[in-house]
Amino acid sequence: MKRNILTIILLVTCNISSFSQTRQPLYKDKNAPIEDRIENLLGLMTLDEKIKQMNQWTYGQNANPNNIGDKMKAVSPLIGSLLYRSTHPEYRNQIQKKAMEESRLGIPIIFGFDCIHGYRTIFPISLAQACSWNTDLVKKSCEISAKESWLSGLDWTFSPMLDVARDARWGRVSEGYGEDSYATSQFAIAAVNGYQGANLADKYTIAACLKHYVGYSLSEGGRDYHYSDVSMQTLWETFLPPFEAGIKAGAATVMSGFNDISGVPASANHYTLTEILKEKWNHDGFVISDWGSVRNLVEQGVAKDKKEAGMKSFLAGVEMDMVDDVYVDYLPELVAEGKISMTAIDEAVRRILRVKMQLGLFENPYVDVVSEENRYLLPEYLEVAEQLASESMVLLKNDNQTLPISSKYKNLAIIGPMAKDSINIMGSWEGMGRPEDVETIYEGLEKEFKNKADLHYAKGCDFDGDDRNGFSEALKAAEKSDVVIVFLGEKKNWSGENGSRSSIALPKIQEDLVEELLKAKKPIILVLSSGRPLELIRLNKLADAVVEIWQPGTMAGSAVAGILSGRHNPSGKLSITFPQSTGQIPIYYNMRESARPTLGHYQDIPRDPLYWFGHGLSYTTYEYSNIKLSSTQIKRSETLTAEVEVTNSGDIDGKEAVLWFIKDPVATISRPMKELQFFDKKFIKAGEKAIYRFEIDPMRDLSYVDSFGKKHLEAGDYFVIVNEQKISFQIID
Ligand code: GLC
């Protein structure tokens, strides 16, 4: 009897579990461990379902006119991802519903998009953000971008872009954080934390994507997509650290670049994609190719056809194929031919499913639908946008205290093609930013100087061309004004992707306009909006003051007007060097020293660049004093504290970013002339002071890295450099 009861109990239990199994497969159980859920799902998937997960199609086209997205395909409910260019969450939810309910296993789609420096609230371009040296504010802007994106139906952004760039002919210099690896690493961390928040499964957080992995900015001659010759030592010293920082910060995804890395393209490079990213750094998310970069392996001459391209990319470590359908077309054959194993397919799909589960997409596949006025451009977002824009602007020159504009001036000439612009002022990759949202510079000035001064506007000329008919009107405006403010710059498509230029000078007509305005014999303030450093060797001499405002985005008007009026005290410092001229490229602060430092420079221009990395003026003055070290001699295992006292010796409150560099004058390999290893920005009231401290960890901050990524800390003399002042110390055995 007992045995019968036991048998009945066992049978009933099995039925319940299998019944629950049919009703609620493990992978749908949000309380089960993610890895168990993945394995359960993988075990249920067909090869076709697995391979479809490894593909991203476009839904509309991205913000880059150079990549005209194929007209939207009928979305397969099995597709892994969509590059989603719509602002309608309900549309996303409809598509997601297809995936959840019309497919056998109900695997959610991950929706991605290029939210690079804002989604609808547009922040300054990333190159500008770096000049703020304010990682908290950058993180905040990414949080806002994530919320606007999430509420528009996105789970994923193809950002931050971490290409350390030193050739301003390359248009994509606008998308990164400048010429320094350490700075780029810090902004990588800020961006990943901003986008991903504390938990990817939380609402309003989106997966980050570190791009373009790796060495893309060395595209020869600054010509986009071209061959990049990267020494392994340079790869480890300069280009990999920001990606490592982003991975350590928890970035869910990585995007492989278009560029060739010294013979092995980034999208087929097993060393970078697997040995470093997966095996050394233990990244457990996935890699997506860049737009068609799998197919491009054929053009790069490393694959005879798309099938071989797909095989090479997959085996190197690219898990998802962006828009060129190579994987979906050829992986089935490659598996059937035994050239790609099911084990490898499973590992790739495992990584994609892991990110989808971390995002909580299985439990929450849909996003909330809220009204546009509750989704975009909230007042607190615009406040952050104005603050970040103003803190990113760099006062390059200010002779005779021309700025801020004196209250004595009652007539201001507002000249130039950028003054009333609402399109180019947002920069490239403007996401879903709209010109009608932008407060133009002129609108900002009208508000700022209302009842204080009269504005006399004249466009003067277009951004380019040779129509000088507007010069006379501009000169008239200048002649009846106390000061002439000229707003010049670049069109947004002169930088960004495929935005390479053989010269970084502004078109001659813009320079000629300034020459013409000199006839008015009034102070000239030059305000430049660009996506790159500009060639200012001629213009700089003509102006009493020069401000680089970059491409400040939605709140351009208030930010620029605040800087010009003094409501914002400029605190930006260059994150990239301004060469004298295009011909001086590449020139960057952390070059190696020449064999003959005083020789070998171009004979026809000054030896130094026009403005070095780290340059930026303020309306107040800061005195650096009492630089001291906690010791002048430490062992390798000990730490060292450097500190400096900064006094705001002027009469205007301000924020000061202190940049700390180290120098190793003699080492087994040559070292850069100096290397940024820490920075900090603080608000200091007029007349007050602040102490800035740099806690030096010798292995982290003083070592050099070899061609294999191994760090070496050598005994010997070192320097800490702050505000051009050097203080020496020793590392002893
Ligand atoms: C582009 C860009 C990349 C972008 C991708 C998707 O070609 O290189 O930065 O994220 O396509 O739009």
Side-chain angles (χ1 to χ4, degrees):
M1 181 60 173
K2 257 190 196 168
R3 187 178 301 144
N4 290 345
I5 289 170
L6 193 59
T7 307
I8 289 165
I9 289 168
L10 274 176
L11 278 173
V12 167
T13 309
C14 288
N15 276 333
I16 288 170
S17 67
S18 64
F19 177 73
S20 67
Q21 189 68 29
T22 48
R23 161 123 14 123
Q24 176 70 19
L26 181 67
Y27 73 90
K28 290 192 174 181
D29 176 359
K30 68 176 187 307
N31 299 315
I34 280 187
E35 295 308 313
D36 294 353
R37 297 174 64 190
I38 292 170
E39 295 316 310
N40 173 253
L41 179 50
L42 270 176
L44 300 172
M45 292 171 79
T46 64
L47 176 60
D48 179 56
E49 289 164 337
K50 291 175 180 176
I51 290 175
K52 288 276 191 338
Q53 282 299 308
M54 298 161 64
N55 276 268
Q56 179 183 72
W57 284 346
T58 56
Y59 199 81
Q61 64 189 40
N62 68 6
N64 172 6
N66 304 303
N67 287 319
I68 303 302
D70 301 343
K71 65 182 183 307
M72 202 279 302
K73 302 176 174 70
V75 178
S76 156
L78 298 178
I79 195 67
S81 174
L82 283 177
L83 197 164
Y84 184 68
R85 186 166 165 71
S86 161
T87 60
H88 302 293
E90 53 277 49
Y91 213 9
R92 166 252 168 76
N93 288 344
Q94 278 172 22
I95 296 170
Q96 190 73 298
K97 197 165 186 299
K98 274 171 69 95
M100 301 306 288
E101 297 178 4
E102 293 176 25
S103 69
R104 193 171 68 87
L105 296 168
I107 301 173
I109 295 169
I110 180 172
F111 292 76
F113 179 66
D114 290 285
C115 175
I116 307 299
H117 52 100
Y119 183 80
R120 177 74 184 274
T121 301
I122 302 305
F123 298 96
I125 55 169
S126 304
L127 182 60
Q129 293 186 24
C131 296
S132 75
W133 300 96
N134 191 331
T135 50
D136 292 341
L137 214 44
V138 168
K139 178 184 173 194
K140 184 75 192 146
S141 75
C142 293
E143 284 168 0
I144 293 166
S145 304
K147 187 161 185 181
E148 289 192 339
S149 300
W150 190 88
L151 285 170
S152 304
L154 294 172
D155 314 296
W156 180 25
T157 179
F158 308 129
S159 173
M161 191 268 214
L162 303 179
D163 300 302
V164 176
R166 292 149 172 183
D167 185 338
R169 292 171 296 179
W170 189 54
R172 305 201 77 166
V173 69
S174 61
E175 299 173 45
Y177 296 107
E179 70 190 36
D180 181 73
S181 185
Y182 173 79
T184 302
S185 301
Q186 299 313 302
F187 289 110
I189 295 164
V192 169
N193 292 336
Y195 289 133
Q196 299 194 164
N199 184 335
L200 262 184
D202 291 345
K203 282 187 175 182
Y204 318 130
T205 62
I206 56 177
C209 183
L210 310 178
K211 72 184 186 181
H212 303 82
Y213 188 63
V214 61
Y216 181 26
S217 60
L218 280 184
S219 297
E220 251 172 358
R223 289 182 293 272
D224 206 358
Y225 315 120
H226 277 65
Y227 180 82
S228 302
D229 194 9
V230 197
S231 78
M232 288 300 107
Q233 198 277 333
T234 300
L235 191 73
W236 281 104
E237 178 178 276
T238 302
F239 297 107
L240 286 170
F243 288 92
E244 184 177 14
I247 295 297
K248 283 183 176 166
T253 69
V254 173
M255 181 185 294
S256 63
F258 289 115
N259 60 299
D260 189 338
I261 306 176
S262 301
V264 184
S267 293
N269 196 305
H270 187 270
Y271 178 61
T272 54
L273 290 164
T274 292
E275 293 172 55
I276 297 176
L277 181 63
K278 297 177 175 64
E279 294 169 2
K280 186 174 176 65
W281 295 345
N282 301 313
H283 186 233
D284 66 357
F286 68 87
V287 175
I288 184 169
S289 72
D290 201 337
W291 186 291
S293 65
V294 174
R295 183 196 62 230
N296 292 152
L297 297 176
V298 177
E299 282 84 1
Q300 287 171 306
V302 295
K304 65 178 183 300
D305 54 26
K306 289 203 283 187
K307 180 178 174 182
E308 187 178 23
M311 182 182 74
K312 286 202 164 187
S313 228
F314 177 80
L315 293 177
V318 175
E319 282 81 30
M320 187 178 280
D321 175 20
M322 183 186 282
V323 311
D324 61 18
D325 281 351
V326 172
Y327 280 14
V328 76
D329 290 346
Y330 296 100
L331 257 52
E333 268 176 68
L334 289 161
V335 171
E337 293 163 6
K339 291 176 181 164
I340 287 179
S341 70
M342 273 312 291
T343 307
I345 291 284
D346 284 353
E347 176 50 23
V349 176
R350 184 173 288 120
R351 290 171 172 273
I352 294 166
L353 296 178
R354 183 174 295 127
V355 172
K356 292 186 174 184
M357 290 204 175
Q358 288 168 346
L359 281 163
L361 291 178
F362 283 82
E363 294 73 57
N364 302 300
Y366 310 112
V367 294
D368 304 347
V369 179
V370 301
S371 63
E372 286 218 1
E373 57 271 11
N374 291 323
R375 201 187 307 163
Y376 303 132
L377 304 163
L378 303 187
E380 60 267 30
Y381 296 177
L382 299 179
E383 267 174 50
V384 173
E386 177 180 350
Q387 191 187 345
L388 184 51
S390 68
E391 291 203 25
S392 66
M393 295 175 182
V394 185
L395 180 56
L396 296 174
K397 179 181 181 184
N398 192 21
D399 290 356
N400 317 312
Q401 302 307 306
T402 305
L403 281 172
I405 290 171
S406 162
S407 55
K408 296 199 300 293
Y409 289 159
K410 299 304 177 194
N411 289 284
L412 313 180
I414 310 300
I415 314 283
M418 198 56 83
K420 293 191 174 183
D421 181 278
S422 59
I423 295 171
N424 301 295
I425 202 89
M426 285 193 282
S428 64
W429 294 106
E430 74 283 10
M432 294 298 184
R434 295 179 186 173
E436 59 268 30
D437 298 336
V438 171
E439 183 189 48
T440 67
I441 293 173
Y442 190 79
E443 288 162 346
L445 292 168
E446 280 183 311
K447 266 178 15 188
E448 194 80 24
F449 291 95
K450 187 174 167 60
N451 304 325
K452 293 175 185 168
D454 290 334
L455 308 184
H456 305 282
Y457 168 76
K459 186 176 181 182
C461 67
D462 281 332
F463 289 100
D464 53 5
D466 54 14
D467 176 0
R468 287 164 171 71
N469 293 322
F471 280 23
S472 58
E473 182 201 13
L475 183 55
K476 286 194 184 79
E479 285 163 342
K480 61 179 151 182
S481 299
D482 306 309
V483 64
V484 183
I485 314 168
V486 200
F487 299 90
L488 304 177
E490 291 189 307
K491 288 186 171 179
K492 71 187 183 85
N493 64 356
W494 292 0
S495 61
E497 183 172 358
N498 198 21
S500 306
R501 292 177 75 83
S502 68
S503 166
I504 60 171
L506 289 175
K508 189 167 181 336
I509 191 161
Q510 295 192 41
E511 295 196 6
D512 291 352
L513 174 63
V514 181
E515 289 279 0
E516 180 70 11
L517 294 169
L518 285 176
K519 296 173 185 172
K521 301 193 185 321
K522 304 287 175 59
I524 287 189
I525 297 164
L526 194 48
V527 179
L528 302 167
S529 171
S530 61
R532 55 160 54 85
L534 296 171
E535 174 179 302
L536 301 178
I537 190 168
R538 293 169 299 280
L539 275 176
N540 194 58
K541 297 170 190 145
L542 307 181
D544 301 280
V546 182
V547 189
E548 173 62 60
I549 64 168
W550 305 110
Q551 290 158 333
T554 306
M555 293 305 287
S558 292
V560 172
I563 290 284
L564 296 176
S565 72
R567 174 168 54 85
H568 291 308
N569 182 3
S571 62
K573 295 187 173 182
L574 292 179
S575 66
I576 191 165
T577 296
F578 271 54
Q580 295 282 349
S581 67
T582 308
Q584 199 175 38
I585 292 171
I587 187 163
Y588 46 97
Y589 90 92
N590 49 350
M591 296 181 291
R592 259 77 176 172
E593 188 51 275
S594 150
R596 297 183 171 183
T598 58
L599 303 174
H601 301 280
Y602 297 115
Q603 296 173 347
D604 54 337
I605 56 172
R607 164 182 163 177
D608 285 343
L610 186 61
Y611 295 113
W612 278 112
F613 171 92
H615 173 76
L617 305 177
S618 170
Y619 293 149
T620 188
T621 49
Y622 296 104
E623 309 296 335
Y624 284 61
S625 59
N626 298 332
I627 301 174
K628 53 188 174 209
L629 300 176
S630 54
S631 167
T632 54
Q633 202 176 66
I634 57 166
K635 296 194 181 84
R636 285 182 172 79
S637 56
E638 296 172 328
T639 59
L640 185 68
T641 301
E643 70 174 56
V644 65
E645 195 175 276
V646 179
T647 303
N648 179 341
S649 48
D651 50 15
I652 302 174
D653 297 349
K655 287 187 176 183
E656 175 68 348
V658 170
L659 277 55
W660 292 92
F661 301 87
I662 67 101
K663 179 180 180 59
D664 179 358
V666 180
T668 300
I669 66 168
S670 62
R671 301 281 305 268
M673 289 190 269
K674 63 182 183 180
E675 297 170 81
L676 181 72
Q677 290 296 3
F678 186 68
F679 62 86
D680 189 11
K681 186 173 194 178
K682 295 179 191 280
F683 172 78
I684 311 177
K685 286 183 72 61
E688 296 188 2
K689 61 184 164 190
I691 303 284
Y692 292 72
R693 280 191 188 84
F694 171 19
E695 303 293 337
I696 296 171
D697 168 338
M699 180 52 87
R700 181 193 64 197
D701 302 324
L702 306 177
S703 63
Y704 73 82
V705 66
D706 65 19
S707 302
F708 305 98
K710 186 173 183 313
K711 291 194 169 189
H712 302 265
L713 175 60
E714 296 184 317
D717 296 328
Y718 290 85
F719 294 97
V720 164
I721 301 170
V722 64
N723 195 41
E724 305 300 321
Q725 300 168 60
K726 281 195 326 189
I727 186 164
S728 66
F729 64 97
Q730 278 191 324
I731 298 287
I732 54 176
D733 278 325

